[in-house]
Amino acid sequence: MLQNGRWPLVKYFTAIIALVFVICLAVYLSISNKRISPSFSVFEPSLDNIPLANNEIYVDDSEAQNLFNEVTIYCWILTTKTGVVTKAAGVNFTWAPRCNKHIFFASAYGDETTLPPLPGMPVTPTAMPKVTFDLSAGKRKEYTTANGDNFATISIGDVIFIDTPEGYQNLTEKSREVLQYLYLTELNNFDWFLKADDDTYMIMENLRHLVRGLDKTKPSYLGYQLEPSWFDSPYMSGGAGYIFNRAGLKLLVEKGIQTKGTCRESGSFEDLEVGRCAIKSGVSIYNSVDKFERETFHPDRIHDYIPGPPPQWLYYYSRNKPKGGSECCSQLSISFHRMSTQDMLIFDHLLYKTSVYGRNMAGKFPQFFKYGAVRQLPNGIPTMKTSN
């Protein structure tokens, strides 16, 4: 009897609990599916009137955009068949789209080899994993230079395969053909021509700020300057990247590469031979350090300089005394070499998607770089001194 009297109360109590649960669940789901707008007006673009580089980052990049249109740079990036399917992804995902145009250049045939352990050391070829491409699917084009030389290219997307063999020991020949290709096809389309490797990270905005202070009509050549005593010529580190303006590329090709007997055609070291050829052709080397004597181009990773000391090989090769720690690198640094894909992604994120609130660069610094042209000795060899 007692149990039967309690049964209706239990049913009602259970029903009430179930109803409350359903109501709470409905309210929770309704709220969780809504996007809650922040109450801070700073997150509302229409109120702040802050230019957005994209939909997620608040930054005023109007000056960078103006520079992009004012100073046009073609980036030619040396890689290999293996690099096309590995390292090129990191370059494409980070700095390369900030060039006005960029193309990867690989060799059409031959075996790949690793770089020597230090610049200038003899090469011991080491077999690399083989990657093959169906080059018959690409667009082939033949070229003839002013001195009668012939070469061919095969284009597949943003990669151009040059008709030269792979291998570090063949980079001089490969670079000569790329430079002639640029001369024949792109000379009048861009102001500057930047060479980089597939493990080089470039800060293009800083590079544009550097080169816009130079006279575009004067043949110019810039980068991280190497001047070891056992070579007869200074030159720019290939890994740190080097850049010619249109007048410099024109003179390099016409008076150097296409003039038989003037410049070496194969073997040796690519960056050394390009530098030698540029000087023989009459192209001027310009300083790229800033007003505080800090380097802008760097042939190693940033964590090879900080906390320091810098890599030992730099003391034997560098034109300027290497510095480590906070003095290693310009505030407007341009390049770092030997960067892995992970390095590039992290570096790019810190530069372009991270800000320190309340800190902005003070002014535009039109005189931030030294610019001085390298002086010439009576024998024509540049010295370690620079002119004002």
Side-chain angles (χ1 to χ4, degrees):
M1 239 2 233
L2 189 59
Q3 289 182 348
N4 291 338
R6 290 179 177 176
W7 177 244
L9 294 176
V10 173
K11 287 196 297 183
Y12 293 142
F13 184 71
T14 303
I16 291 171
I17 292 176
L19 180 61
V20 170
F21 175 76
V22 171
I23 293 172
C24 292
L25 181 62
V27 172
Y28 170 77
L29 292 175
S30 175
I31 293 175
S32 65
N33 286 329
K34 288 184 178 179
R35 182 178 178 180
I36 301 176
S37 300
S39 59
F40 302 105
S41 61
V42 70
F43 289 101
E44 178 54 55
S46 61
L47 298 179
D48 269 353
N49 198 27
I50 298 174
L52 298 180
N54 54 51
N55 293 331
E56 302 172 349
I57 303 299
Y58 285 79
V59 62
D60 182 357
D61 67 344
S62 54
E63 176 67 13
Q65 290 297 328
N66 291 337
L67 267 178
F68 182 87
N69 297 321
E70 176 188 342
V71 183
T72 57
I73 301 178
Y74 182 110
C75 301
W76 55 286
I77 306 163
L78 289 186
T79 188
T80 62
K81 297 185 190 72
T82 301
V84 169
V85 297
T86 55
K87 297 179 181 180
V91 174
N92 263 332
F93 194 77
T94 55
W95 65 268
R98 299 177 192 122
C99 304
N100 294 87
K101 181 176 180 179
H102 73 278
I103 294 291
F104 293 90
F105 288 89
S107 293
Y109 61 93
D111 295 329
E112 302 176 30
T113 55
T114 59
L115 295 176
L118 290 176
M121 291 184 67
V123 179
T124 302
T126 303
M128 298 288 288
K130 288 190 177 182
V131 175
T132 59
F133 286 85
D134 181 11
L135 298 185
S136 63
K139 182 179 179 181
R140 183 180 177 88
K141 193 167 182 179
E142 305 278 347
Y143 297 92
T144 301
T145 66
N147 61 356
D149 289 341
N150 298 303
F151 67 94
T153 62
I154 301 173
S155 302
I156 302 177
D158 62 354
V159 181
I160 293 180
F161 293 89
I162 295 289
D163 191 20
T164 58
E166 272 293 8
Y168 182 77
Q169 66 276 16
N170 299 314
L171 283 179
T172 297
E173 182 181 354
K174 183 176 179 178
S175 296
R176 283 171 57 91
E177 291 201 2
V178 173
L179 289 165
Q180 292 189 89
Y181 168 83
L182 297 177
Y183 171 82
L184 292 171
T185 63
E186 302 285 7
L187 183 65
N188 296 318
N189 298 331
F190 299 92
D191 301 320
W192 294 85
F193 298 86
L194 169 70
K195 182 267 178 181
D197 287 344
D198 56 12
D199 60 348
T200 308
Y201 183 92
M202 305 294 305
I203 306 172
M204 296 302 298
E205 295 86 351
N206 294 350
L207 176 59
R208 287 190 174 93
H209 183 49
L210 168 66
V211 299
R212 75 168 168 180
L214 292 168
D215 186 345
K216 292 190 293 186
T217 64
K218 295 181 178 179
S220 305
Y221 169 46
L222 297 89
Y224 184 87
Q225 299 181 36
L226 302 174
E227 196 170 1
S229 59
W230 53 90
F231 288 151
D232 60 358
S233 174
Y235 61 101
M236 306 300 160
S237 163
Y242 53 78
I243 188 166
F244 289 93
N245 64 359
R246 182 186 303 152
L249 176 63
K250 185 173 188 294
L251 201 61
L252 170 67
V253 173
E254 291 179 354
K255 301 297 184 181
I257 295 175
Q258 292 184 356
T259 302
K260 288 290 187 181
T262 301
C263 303
R264 185 162 180 162
E265 299 184 6
S266 61
S268 185
F269 306 103
E270 160 260 331
D271 46 8
L272 170 62
E273 296 307 326
V274 170
R276 278 175 171 162
C277 194
I279 291 170
K280 289 179 179 179
S281 304
V283 182
S284 297
I285 295 176
Y286 282 86
N287 212 332
S288 61
V289 299
D290 67 19
K291 63 190 298 183
F292 305 108
E293 298 287 344
R294 297 171 185 148
E295 298 285 356
T296 54
F297 292 81
H298 303 92
D300 273 294
R301 304 172 300 170
I302 189 168
H303 33 298
D304 289 327
Y305 295 90
I306 297 174
Q312 289 298 307
W313 72 269
L314 292 177
Y315 289 94
Y316 300 97
Y317 282 82
S318 296
R319 174 178 172 271
N320 302 317
K321 182 180 178 181
K323 300 176 182 178
S326 61
E327 291 299 306
C328 76
C329 315
S330 172
Q331 183 179 357
L332 294 181
S333 284
I334 291 169
S335 73
F336 291 92
H337 186 216
R338 307 185 201 278
M339 299 280 278
S340 68
T341 297
Q342 183 181 24
D343 290 337
M344 291 189 187
L345 294 174
I346 293 172
F347 206 54
D348 201 74
H349 184 92
L350 292 174
L351 286 174
Y352 292 92
K353 293 191 175 182
T354 305
S355 300
V356 178
Y357 182 78
R359 288 180 60 88
N360 298 290
M361 190 167 182
K364 295 184 178 180
F365 291 110
Q367 303 300 324
F368 190 79
F369 303 103
K370 298 199 74 171
Y371 287 121
V374 176
R375 287 178 179 170
Q376 302 282 324
L377 285 173
N379 61 2
I381 300 298
T383 72
M384 295 180 66
K385 303 292 184 181
T386 56
S387 61
N388 295 322

